[in-house]
Amino acid sequence: MNPFSKSDANGNLQIQYSAFGIGEQFKYQPGAIQYQLTIADSIQVILVKQGYKDFIQNIKLDTTKAFETTFQLQSN
């Protein structure tokens, strides 16, 4: 897994739902064993910045509307 490392000039990140596999269709070959798949309804955000405490927060996804959240890092 590669971390997201880019942000705009204000430090804002935008993550598309497709990054989490939402809306993806899973296809099976004929005769293949089919597995039930569960896609989580939340993500865990981990922010790491030198000189600051690591920040960890779980966020519940809402695919019916866009949402914003603010993270505030505390210095060491």
Side-chain angles (χ1 to χ4, degrees):
M1 173 185 272
N2 294 326
F4 294 101
S5 58
K6 294 184 180 182
S7 62
D8 66 15
N10 296 319
N12 297 318
L13 298 172
Q14 280 193 336
I15 303 173
Q16 300 298 319
Y17 287 133
S18 60
F20 308 109
I22 295 173
E24 293 292 324
Q25 292 184 350
F26 298 95
K27 296 183 180 180
Y28 294 95
Q29 298 298 325
I33 297 172
Q34 296 186 16
Y35 297 96
Q36 182 176 352
L37 300 172
T38 302
I39 297 177
D41 65 350
S42 64
I43 61 172
Q44 185 176 61
V45 174
I46 302 171
L47 302 176
V48 179
K49 185 174 182 178
Q50 188 173 2
Y52 291 85
K53 296 178 183 176
D54 292 354
F55 178 91
I56 301 172
Q57 181 176 338
N58 289 318
I59 297 178
K60 188 163 179 72
L61 299 174
D62 182 353
T63 58
T64 61
K65 61 183 179 200
F67 64 93
E68 283 185 15
T69 189
T70 301
F71 307 109
Q72 194 163 13
L73 298 177
Q74 295 178 355
S75 59
N76 282 332

